[in-house]
Amino acid sequence: QELENLYLEVYSEDGQTADKLSAVKSVYVPGEDRKFTAYLAGNVSITTRDALKIDTEQLTYKQGENVAEGEELVKFERGNISGSSFGAIARIADKTIELLKDVTIVTTADADLNSAVTNSKTTAGRAIYNQAEERIDLTGTVIGKFESLKDGKPETADLTAEEATIFLRLLDDGQRDLKNLELRRNVAIDVTRADSQPANIRAGFANFDKPADRFDLRDSASVTTVSNAKPSSLSGSSIVYEQTKLIAQIDGGAKASQGSDVVTGDRIDVVLYPGRSMRNATVRGNAALQQTTPERSTTVNAAELFAAFAEQNSVTNANATGNAKATIVPAQSTEYSKVTMTTPRTIELFFKGEGAIDRLNTQGRTTLRLDAPDG
């Protein structure tokens, strides 16, 4: 049957819900067991029984398989989620839509919704939206921009990766918002917040838990910011970076640097200032602090170490515990070429200004060695 100005309803077995189809023209081909195929053209629109709306110009609907397939530009919408792709396959019974090429997905928050709702735009080569699991899988150069409010202040995250998965959560008003964002391979995230410096995040894998405002980073992970013209950087095999709590945990070849001050160890727990510069760092296992200035370099080694930093970035004091060792090497060796101080217990260093040692205290039997310059 050739039909014009088609409107068609296909009901579920219980007769309670229906898929609704419309088009300017169609060819209706009956099949066995009352199954049919419809070829639709011109202003094609489908609204599934799960509230997924699809618009395109050419579409094939196979009622026996419960599949709708479009080969041209396809637009879709479900609540506050919308998007488009060139070609799509909607498996209505499975509650999935496969977006085949040049995918764009948008989430939009109403002005009167909770401030936690995210506005976003994500593009990818291909995607699958699983409505039952509230999950979107994206592949092929994923690029996204996510905008939300944190404590009433705007925050923007620009991201790229080779693969991504977006997990959604259903809010009380029926809207959907970001729950988790999982990024894989060559991950780059640049976070900008109104009250602090930008944070540049790099990793092989990243999972962002939006309700907790937490990044779980793995595979050569790093977080870099710039405050007072000095870069602050966290790096390691894995990093758990919690933005709202202003803390970070670094494991595996852990390193935290701020200006010329560097702390390293097996694990580092970092507390940040609101502007994202380091407030303090607690290092466990193979702990070391190194500070380099034009006048001297100072290195502290121990089993564990605690270092505190001024908000202007420079280290103010350090406490090294367990086979502690401090080494000071001047740039100009006029009176001595190196100072080495060791103790089985604790060394405390206090700094005044940037790079100037105010005093150094030790606990336990201490050995002090002064190396004289040549001659």
Side-chain angles (χ1 to χ4, degrees), residues 7-321:
Y7 176 77
L8 179 66
E9 292 185 357
V10 183
Y11 283 83
S12 58
E13 291 184 1
D14 59 11
Q16 299 301 311
T17 58
D19 302 322
K20 301 176 182 179
L21 300 83
S22 63
V24 174
K25 294 181 179 181
S26 75
V27 175
Y28 178 90
V29 182
E32 295 181 359
D33 299 326
R34 294 184 296 174
K35 307 299 183 184
F36 67 88
T37 299
Y39 302 94
L40 312 177
N43 293 329
V44 180
S45 179
I46 295 180
T47 301
T48 71
R49 62 199 66 174
D50 300 304
L52 176 67
K53 189 174 186 295
I54 300 171
D55 294 313
T56 187
E57 286 299 312
Q58 301 276 349
L59 186 139
T60 301
Y61 179 81
K62 299 178 181 179
Q63 191 253 345
E65 301 174 17
N66 223 347
V67 169
E69 183 173 351
E71 297 181 356
E72 298 184 6
L73 178 65
V74 175
K75 297 180 180 180
F76 72 93
E77 181 179 334
R78 187 177 186 233
N80 62 320
I81 299 174
S82 61
S84 64
S85 74
F86 195 85
I89 302 173
R91 294 179 172 85
I92 299 171
D94 297 335
K95 300 182 180 181
T96 65
I97 178 169
E98 185 175 355
L99 309 168
L100 301 180
K101 183 181 177 182
D102 299 334
V103 176
T104 299
I105 297 175
V106 177
T107 63
T108 307
D110 292 342
D112 58 349
L113 285 180
N114 189 303
S115 63
V117 173
T118 305
N119 288 295
S120 71
K121 180 179 179 180
T122 306
T123 61
R126 194 180 183 98
I128 298 177
Y129 177 20
N130 188 317
Q131 302 164 67
E133 297 181 7
E134 297 292 355
R135 165 179 175 155
I136 305 172
D137 292 295
L138 306 107
T139 57
T141 311
V142 180
I143 301 173
K145 179 183 285 290
F146 291 75
E147 299 175 337
S148 59
L149 294 177
K150 295 291 174 60
D151 300 324
K153 298 178 180 179
E155 177 179 285
T156 301
D158 295 290
L159 61 89
T160 60
E162 294 184 32
E163 298 176 357
T165 300
I166 300 172
F167 296 92
L168 303 168
R169 55 175 176 160
L170 186 62
L171 304 180
D172 293 338
D173 56 9
Q175 302 282 4
R176 287 165 178 81
D177 186 36
L178 175 66
K179 179 182 179 182
N180 279 80
L181 176 62
E182 187 177 290
L183 305 169
R184 297 175 293 278
R185 300 170 60 190
N186 297 321
V187 177
I189 308 170
D190 298 321
V191 181
T192 304
R193 185 177 289 182
D195 59 349
S196 62
Q197 300 297 322
N200 302 316
I201 298 170
R202 303 292 183 267
F205 171 90
N207 182 285
F208 175 55
D209 184 339
K210 184 174 184 290
D213 198 18
R214 181 178 66 242
F215 288 93
D216 182 357
L217 312 172
R218 305 173 203 164
D219 302 334
S220 301
S222 68
V223 179
T224 304
T225 63
V226 177
S227 179
N228 298 319
K230 295 181 181 179
S232 299
S233 178
L234 314 177
S235 62
S237 297
S238 64
I239 300 175
V240 177
Y241 174 47
E242 302 190 53
Q243 294 190 113
T244 301
K245 294 182 179 180
L246 296 171
I247 59 175
Q249 298 173 356
I250 315 170
D251 285 290
K255 179 180 179 181
S257 64
Q258 190 147 276
S260 61
D261 303 329
V262 181
V263 293
T264 59
D266 296 337
R267 171 171 174 163
I268 303 177
D269 293 282
V270 177
V271 178
L272 305 170
Y273 286 104
R276 289 193 173 119
S277 60
M278 274 198 293
R279 182 189 294 269
N280 61 63
T282 302
V283 190
R284 295 178 176 87
N286 299 308
L289 164 68
Q290 183 174 17
Q291 183 186 73
T292 304
T293 68
E295 293 77 24
R296 68 186 62 81
S297 66
T298 303
T299 305
V300 183
N301 300 90
E304 296 186 2
L305 184 143
F306 174 85
F309 296 81
E311 196 163 3
Q312 290 73 30
N313 295 129
S314 56
V315 63
T316 58
N317 63 281
N319 189 311
T321 304

Side-chain angles (χ1 to χ4, degrees), residues 306-373:
F306 174 85
F309 296 81
E311 196 163 3
Q312 290 73 30
N313 295 129
S314 56
V315 63
T316 58
N317 63 281
N319 189 311
T321 304
N323 293 321
K325 177 181 178 181
T327 305
I328 303 170
V329 179
Q332 301 295 327
S333 56
T334 56
E335 296 181 354
Y336 63 93
S337 61
K338 184 169 68 171
V339 176
T340 306
M341 187 173 292
T342 59
T343 174
R345 296 180 63 186
T346 301
I347 294 178
E348 292 181 285
L349 286 90
F350 298 88
F351 297 85
K352 56 180 180 180
E354 186 171 343
I357 298 175
D358 184 24
R359 67 186 187 276
L360 187 152
N361 300 335
T362 69
Q363 294 182 11
R365 185 170 181 84
T366 302
T367 299
L368 173 64
R369 175 188 172 112
L370 292 166
D371 290 356

